Amino acid sequence: MVALTAVALGFAIYPITEPGSDVINSDWPAFATGAKIAMTNPTHLYDIDVQRRVQLEVTGGRRLVTPGIQGILPFLAPAWVALLAVPFEALGTELGGRLWILFGLACLALGLWLASRPRPISAALPGFAGVPTALLLLNAQLDGIVVLGLGAAIALWSQPFLAGLALGLTLVKPQLVLPLGLALIAGRRWRVLAGWAVAGVALTASYLPLDPGWIAHFIAPAASTVQVIAREVDLAHMAVYLPGAVQTYGLVIISLAMSAVVLWLAARRRDETAIAASILIAGGVLASPHALPADLVLVSVALVMWPRADAWDWVILSVGALISALAPAPVPVVVALVVIVRLLLRQSLLPAPLQPSTQPASSR
């Protein structure tokens, strides 16, 4: 616990002390670019040529070391993410980027704590001190907000509509929660779905005054995130090796098929809500049409929620995340498949922990 606490403190301190070049070489310039265009030229949010010019302004003319698309790291998230990044970008690229990373870490920590309740806060510590958190930090990614949405929904589960509103936070990366959405539909959790839908409508409408056609502009560029060279951890990524004419169909079919498998595994534990939800969350990474190594932090949430998680589960997750971040494609997909399928099988097949007996022991 002392070692995990030290690692967690290191993660919290690093955004304050990291070199400015690390801030630039994360995904923050993409979000800063989206924020700046939203405030200056909102109808061209997904125009790659405009993004290229603005991103050079954001980075002060510095080129990114990390691989990008068409020479830049483009903004391809939903438009409301650009609005979320506006106050951070207004503080400048470096300061805004550091605070953006700290904001994501704070969301992650709070979400893990909410997901681990009513157990002690120490139960959430391995989730924050793992390699997936380091990847989230280094890439300045949005998964902390997704985790906060999941944790808040779990905490508010007795109030279904509010739980659905909390799930609205997952819509910064909606592709990661496909099995969860399908499970809510299959389980006829209409009040939760109503809250989720209200949150989605509100987020969608938030950018419409700036660009009424942003949804149509968003769809086509979003597909460019799926590339052969990308270190993806979702099974649907294997569709990139199909002929070009059928890649999109292959991606959709694989994603839906994997979601169906995850739903079936979760249904085996339908009487244990926390374990079923844990299966849906971890399986959502593998079933997603687009997931990167930093998204494995959702598997950390699943382990925090599962009372039978042991040290080996955490070690295997961290080692798998590290390999996925460093190895070329398609190795990350294979590693994620091993890590997540192992966890899903353990969660769905292991019996629930035995409860202490209240009956006196028999004597011979």
Side-chain angles (χ1 to χ4, degrees):
M1 295 304 297
V2 172
L4 290 174
T5 302
V7 172
L9 288 174
F11 286 164
I13 293 171
Y14 183 75
I16 303 172
T17 61
E18 69 175 319
S21 59
D22 286 357
V23 177
I24 294 298
N25 283 316
S26 69
D27 289 346
W28 164 242
F31 299 123
T33 296
K36 195 160 190 175
I37 295 175
M39 292 296 96
T40 59
N41 195 1
T43 58
H44 290 81
L45 182 60
Y46 298 105
D47 187 319
I48 295 296
D49 292 330
V50 173
Q51 288 195 24
R52 183 180 292 106
R53 174 176 53 80
V54 172
Q55 192 161 106
L56 285 174
E57 296 175 8
V58 166
T59 62
R62 286 174 284 183
R63 296 283 182 177
L64 301 174
V65 175
T66 50
I69 299 172
Q70 299 186 32
I72 64 168
L73 196 61
F75 177 82
L76 300 173
W80 53 79
V81 175
L83 297 180
L84 177 64
V86 166
F88 296 92
E89 195 280 330
L91 297 172
T93 299
E94 288 195 16
L95 177 58
R98 295 178 196 277
L99 294 177
W100 174 264
I101 295 169
L102 286 171
F103 171 68
L105 288 176
C107 290
L108 174 64
L110 180 56
L112 288 171
W113 173 67
L114 291 171
S116 68
R117 293 194 314 161
R119 290 180 293 157
I121 194 171
S122 58
L125 189 55
F128 190 82
V131 172
T133 300
L135 299 179
L136 178 150
L137 181 160
L138 293 171
N139 290 283
Q141 267 295 339
L142 298 164
D143 299 82
I145 301 172
V146 178
V147 172
L148 178 57
L150 293 170
I154 293 164
L156 294 168
W157 196 246
S158 60
Q159 303 176 67
F161 185 79
L162 293 180
L165 286 177
L167 285 174
L169 293 175
T170 66
L171 297 179
V172 297
K173 282 195 166 187
Q175 73 273 15
L176 297 176
V177 290
L178 288 179
L180 178 59
L182 293 175
L184 292 174
I185 294 172
R188 300 181 180 182
R189 301 279 186 171
W190 305 125
R191 294 179 66 185
V192 179
L193 288 167
W196 204 354
V198 168
V201 170
L203 289 171
T204 302
S206 66
Y207 201 81
L208 291 178
L210 299 176
D211 181 11
W214 79 262
I215 298 174
H217 301 156
F218 164 70
I219 293 174
S224 64
T225 59
V226 182
Q227 296 188 348
V228 175
I229 63 170
R231 293 187 176 98
E232 301 230 6
V233 295
D234 55 283
L235 191 60
H237 179 68
M238 302 308 290
V240 300
Y241 299 102
L242 298 174
V246 297
Q247 281 186 8
T248 301
Y249 298 105
L251 185 144
V252 172
I253 291 170
I254 295 172
S255 183
L256 290 177
M258 192 65 221
S259 295
V261 172
V262 173
L263 282 175
W264 175 72
L265 292 174
R268 294 175 58 89
R269 309 307 292 266
R270 65 171 65 89
D271 296 329
E272 300 167 272
T273 304
I275 297 178
S278 175
I279 292 171
L280 293 169
I281 292 170
V285 177
L286 205 56
S288 172
H290 172 59
L292 298 173
D295 297 324
L296 290 171
V297 76
L298 268 70
V299 183
S300 297
V301 180
L303 283 176
V304 163
M305 294 174 63
W306 188 39
R308 298 196 65 157
D310 57 30
W312 281 112
D313 291 313
W314 289 109
V315 170
I316 290 171
L317 172 60
S318 282
V319 171
L322 183 62
I323 295 173
S324 297
L326 299 176
V331 173
V333 177
V334 177
V335 172
L337 187 66
V338 172
V339 171
I340 298 176
V341 168
R342 172 190 174 275
L343 174 60
L344 296 181
L345 291 177
R346 276 170 49 77
Q347 289 179 310
S348 61
L349 298 178
L350 280 181
L354 293 175
Q355 299 297 322
S357 176
T358 58
Q359 300 296 324
S362 60
S363 60
R364 291 184 182 272

